[in-house]
């Protein structure tokens, strides 16, 4: 049966919620779609450097169930003759994840699962030889399921099949505990970059350079100002020419505005020579204010 759309397209009928569900709660639930691909569960290294996570332990088969737990801690406050004691909130415990009955079975294929058992145990241990004094910080990933950052607190297993003494059939259970999320170096760098951009915008609004000049840029500004003074010496007043010829002058560069000012040896100010923005100089017009000779011009 068609729905009257062009080409006879079939109407997509989504199932309506059964009456046993409360409609208010049902409306809050987003739709979930399948990618159609098999998603593998894995324990990854939670890398604070922000690099691509490195797999540390692969599940031979995906979990059959995930058991989460989270609780709040309260202290009872004794109140005389109270039927219900008062409570004082302390904190919320770290969420935990129990993954039970993870199947490790390669008996029929003539393989041993010992490397998987050894690998999960290594995630409970420090590695002093590599200067790692704590077990690794982990991330449990299974498609869009992400439990991180966390640490492995427990693993236990039952062996039920062996090949020549090597375990080939077992069931494994692990316990993961969430820890406070650590800021990665990449996130720190990104936050710093955002702060720099915000500061640069504020500086620009205040009539300053977007970023203060570095020491090297200040040296470049002084060199540009010196060259400008000497190249156009014939345009300056007699007093200005005198301090330039005798090299009895000082160049003062403001790192925030890029203004390069001229003064004599006794700190008498002669005004602005040019403005250096970190790459090039701006001069002349209303920028250069050092005294000119009669009819002189600041280029």
């Amino acid at each position: 049966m068609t729905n009257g759309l062009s080409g006879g397209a079939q109407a997509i009928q989504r199932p309506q919620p059964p009456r046993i569900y409360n409609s208010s709660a049902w409306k809050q639930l987003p739709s979930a779609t399948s990618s159609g691909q098999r998603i593998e569960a894995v324990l990854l290294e939670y890398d604070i450097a922000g690099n691509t996570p490195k797999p540390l332990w692969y599940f031979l088969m995906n979990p059959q169930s995930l058991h989460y737990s989270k609780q709040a801690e309260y202290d009872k406050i004794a109140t005389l003759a109270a039927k219900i004691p008062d409570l004082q909130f302390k904190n919320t415990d770290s969420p935990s994840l129990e993954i039970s009955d993870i199947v490790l079975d390669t008996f029929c294929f003539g393989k041993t699962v010992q490397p998987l058992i050894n690998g999960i145990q290594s995630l409970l241990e420090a590695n002093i030889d590599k200067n790692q004094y704590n077990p690794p910080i982990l991330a449990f990933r299974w498609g869009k399921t992400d439990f991180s950052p966390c640490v492995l607190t427990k693993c236990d297993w039952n062996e039920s099949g062996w090949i020549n003494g090597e375990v080939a059939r077992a069931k494994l259970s692990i316990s993961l505990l969430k820890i406070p999320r650590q800021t990665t170096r990449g996130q720190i760098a990104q936050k710093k970059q955002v702060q720099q951009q915000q500061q640069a915008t504020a500086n620009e609004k205040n009539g300053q350079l977007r970023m203060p000049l570095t020491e090297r840029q200040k040296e470049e500004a002084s060199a540009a100002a010196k060259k400008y003074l000497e190249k156009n010496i014939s345009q300056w007043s007699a007093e200005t020419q005198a301090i330039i010829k005798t090299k009895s002058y000082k160049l003062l560069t403001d790192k925030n505005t890029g203004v390069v000012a001229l003064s004599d040896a006794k700190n008498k100010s002669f005004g602005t020579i040019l403005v250096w923005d970190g790459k090039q100089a701006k001069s002349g017009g209303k920028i250069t204010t050092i005294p000119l000779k009669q009819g002189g011009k600041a280029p």
Side-chain angles (χ1 to χ4, degrees):
M1 179 183 295
T2 63
N3 64 350
L5 298 176
S6 61
Q10 295 293 324
I12 299 176
Q13 298 293 333
R14 295 200 178 275
Q16 296 299 312
R19 297 184 64 180
I20 59 172
Y21 293 125
N22 290 331
S23 60
S24 297
W26 180 268
K27 291 176 182 178
Q28 298 177 32
L29 304 180
S31 298
T33 57
S34 173
S35 66
Q37 299 177 344
R38 181 173 176 80
I39 306 299
E40 296 183 353
V42 63
L43 288 177
L44 301 167
E45 179 181 31
Y46 184 83
D47 191 350
I48 64 170
N51 299 321
T52 302
K54 181 175 67 177
L56 295 181
W57 195 79
Y58 291 101
F59 288 71
L60 182 62
M61 296 184 184
N62 285 337
Q64 300 181 61
S65 64
L66 303 177
H67 176 72
Y68 295 93
S69 177
K70 184 175 182 178
Q71 64 182 23
E73 291 286 335
Y74 289 86
D75 277 338
K76 290 184 179 181
I77 301 175
T79 306
L80 183 63
K83 292 182 178 180
I84 301 176
D86 287 333
L87 297 177
Q88 182 176 18
F89 176 72
K90 292 173 58 179
N91 59 271
T92 302
D93 270 359
S94 298
S96 63
L97 171 59
E98 305 282 339
I99 308 178
S100 302
D101 296 330
I102 302 168
V103 176
L104 305 177
D105 191 348
T106 55
F107 187 89
C108 296
F109 303 99
K111 284 181 172 285
T112 175
V113 295
Q114 191 63 55
L116 291 173
I117 294 175
N118 294 342
I120 197 68
Q121 290 182 77
S122 70
L123 302 183
L124 291 166
E125 303 165 352
N127 192 334
I128 306 302
D129 294 338
K130 294 185 178 180
N131 296 322
Q132 297 172 355
Y133 297 96
N134 297 287
I137 299 174
L138 305 172
F140 170 72
R141 297 273 174 81
W142 189 12
K144 292 186 178 181
T145 297
D146 184 349
F147 189 81
S148 66
C150 63
V151 290
L152 180 66
T153 59
K154 180 184 178 183
C155 69
D156 58 71
W157 64 96
N158 294 317
E159 300 178 4
S160 57
W162 302 263
I163 300 175
N164 197 26
E166 294 185 285
V167 60
R169 181 177 293 151
K171 279 192 176 181
L172 173 73
S173 296
I174 62 175
S175 300
L176 300 170
L177 185 67
K178 254 193 179 182
I179 62 173
R181 185 169 293 278
Q182 301 186 14
T183 305
T184 68
R185 294 190 185 99
Q187 290 170 330
I188 293 173
Q190 185 179 25
K191 183 178 180 181
K192 185 176 180 180
Q193 185 177 16
V194 171
Q195 290 174 338
Q196 288 176 339
Q197 290 295 330
Q198 291 173 341
Q199 184 61 53
T201 301
N203 291 343
E204 202 169 35
K205 288 182 178 179
N206 293 329
Q208 300 180 348
L209 298 175
R210 286 183 61 83
M211 297 296 293
L213 297 179
T214 64
E215 290 302 316
R216 180 178 177 179
Q217 289 172 327
K218 288 174 65 177
E219 292 174 2
E220 293 171 344
S222 295
K226 181 179 179 182
K227 182 178 180 180
Y228 179 78
L229 286 174
E230 294 176 350
K231 181 179 179 181
N232 302 289
I233 191 169
S234 62
Q235 302 299 315
W236 316 131
S237 67
E239 186 181 10
T240 305
Q241 290 187 35
I243 64 172
I244 295 173
K245 291 177 180 178
T246 59
K247 299 188 184 301
S248 55
Y249 65 89
K250 298 178 182 178
L251 299 176
L252 305 174
T253 303
D254 188 316
K255 68 177 182 179
N256 294 314
T257 62
V259 170
V260 183
L262 175 69
S263 66
D264 64 13
K266 296 181 180 180
N267 295 324
K268 175 185 175 181
S269 176
F270 278 66
T272 298
I273 306 169
L274 52 78
V275 174
W276 184 259
D277 64 4
K279 294 182 179 179
Q280 60 184 5
K282 295 180 181 180
S283 60
K286 297 181 180 180
I287 296 176
T288 303
T289 61
I290 57 177
L292 300 168
K293 70 178 183 181
Q294 188 173 2
K297 183 178 180 180

